[in-house]
Amino acid sequence: EAQVTQNPRYLITVTGKKLTVTCSQNMNHEYMSWYRQDPGLGLRQIYYSMNVEVTDKGDVPEGYKVSRKEKRNFPLILESPSPNQTSLYFCASSLSFGGGWNEQYFGPGTRLTVT
Amino acid sequence: QKEVEQNSGPLSVPEGAIASLNCTYSDRGSQSFFWYRQYSGKSPELIMSIYSNGDKEDGRFTAQLNKASQYVSLLIRDSQPSDSATYLCAVRRRDQFYFGTGTSLTVIP
């Protein structure tokens, strides 16, 4: 089954404790991205990657890191989480199309709470 | 100015009616346009993508794009209670995607 998976689905942690949220897709998509979703603010792009070893900042990259060492995986790293990073996080992937990127497919989401 | 704007609603329609959802975008360089449906606590799922001016129909859904007016709409015909969800409009500009905050739709049986 074609899918995007994320782990963990739920995470409660404390301020300053480094964490990684994993994302993997089995559709051979070049493009992968991380979003956070907050009430009233919608989905905002954190980082995106157009291929292995190619990453770029989205609209809200502060406090996050990513890496893309393999095509299928795109982990999101919070080196020192803070309470304002409490949010619902989605990973998404997309295939190239016509010189751009096609529609995105989303993972199930990770609900992160930082206390 | 927000990249993508949607009326947050809530929008309520009776079962069997047509639901009309609207979205405007600010950058004329936007290249691709998408509608997603999101149930509470779930991930967005694609309803339709549209790339050129005009209408695109898929079952009960019709997307309309007007690049001159920077406007995208989604019509849902014969609305069903299962259509009750938040509808997200998204645009792609170069390598980034931008989402509206969503319109909440309730279909009343």
Side-chain angles (χ1 to χ4, degrees):
Chain A
E1 180 191 355
Q3 60 183 350
V4 179
T5 57
Q6 294 178 230
N7 282 291
R9 295 288 312 281
Y10 302 91
L11 180 58
I12 300 173
T13 190
V14 296
T15 298
K17 186 176 181 182
K18 181 180 178 179
L19 67 92
T20 299
V21 185
T22 64
C23 173
S24 183
Q25 52 92 6
N26 62 2
M27 296 171 280
N28 202 36
H29 286 173
E30 294 93 348
Y31 189 100
M32 296 185 74
S33 182
W34 277 103
Y35 295 87
R36 60 178 292 173
Q37 187 172 36
D38 302 289
L41 297 176
L43 276 163
R44 294 178 293 167
Q45 197 168 33
I46 303 171
Y47 269 95
Y48 61 95
S49 169
M50 293 180 283
N51 215 326
V52 176
E53 303 293 0
V54 181
T55 63
D56 209 344
K57 296 177 181 179
D59 289 337
V60 288
E62 295 78 18
Y64 304 95
K65 283 177 57 176
V66 292
S67 68
R68 186 95 180 270
K69 294 184 170 57
E70 304 168 279
K71 196 173 186 179
R72 63 183 293 126
N73 296 324
F74 190 45
L76 179 69
I77 302 157
L78 284 73
E79 294 267 3
S80 182
S82 62
N84 65 12
Q85 292 178 299
T86 293
S87 187
L88 179 58
Y89 291 86
F90 289 105
C91 180
S93 71
S94 173
L95 196 59
S96 64
F97 170 74
W101 306 105
N102 215 339
E103 60 266 7
Q104 294 179 96
Y105 294 89
F106 284 81
T110 295
R111 187 166 293 281
L112 172 65
T113 302
V114 184
T115 61
Chain B
Q1 185 180 12
K2 290 183 179 179
E3 290 271 350
V4 182
E5 302 222 41
Q6 295 180 253
N7 187 329
S8 62
L11 174 66
S12 294
V13 301
E15 184 174 355
I18 295 174
S20 177
L21 304 160
N22 304 314
C23 168
T24 59
Y25 59 96
S26 62
D27 197 308
R28 290 192 177 275
S30 299
Q31 295 156 289
S32 308
F33 308 87
F34 310 93
W35 282 101
Y36 288 84
R37 177 174 61 196
Q38 186 176 28
Y39 295 109
S40 181
K42 301 295 186 182
S43 57
E45 53 179 332
L46 180 76
I47 298 173
M48 191 171 299
S49 55
I50 186 167
Y51 304 103
S52 53
N53 277 331
D55 295 359
K56 180 180 178 182
E57 186 175 317
D58 184 0
R60 295 187 297 113
F61 300 94
T62 299
Q64 300 173 316
L65 173 61
N66 184 326
K67 289 188 176 180
S69 300
Q70 295 175 235
Y71 176 88
V72 193
S73 67
L74 180 70
L75 298 177
I76 307 174
R77 289 181 299 281
D78 188 24
S79 296
Q80 301 297 310
S82 57
D83 294 326
S84 297
T86 296
Y87 289 80
L88 307 176
C89 174
V91 305
R92 180 183 68 82
R93 178 166 56 85
R94 291 192 288 275
D95 297 318
Q96 284 194 252
F97 291 83
Y98 302 91
F99 285 77
T101 53
T103 298
S104 175
L105 172 67
T106 300
V107 180
I108 303 166

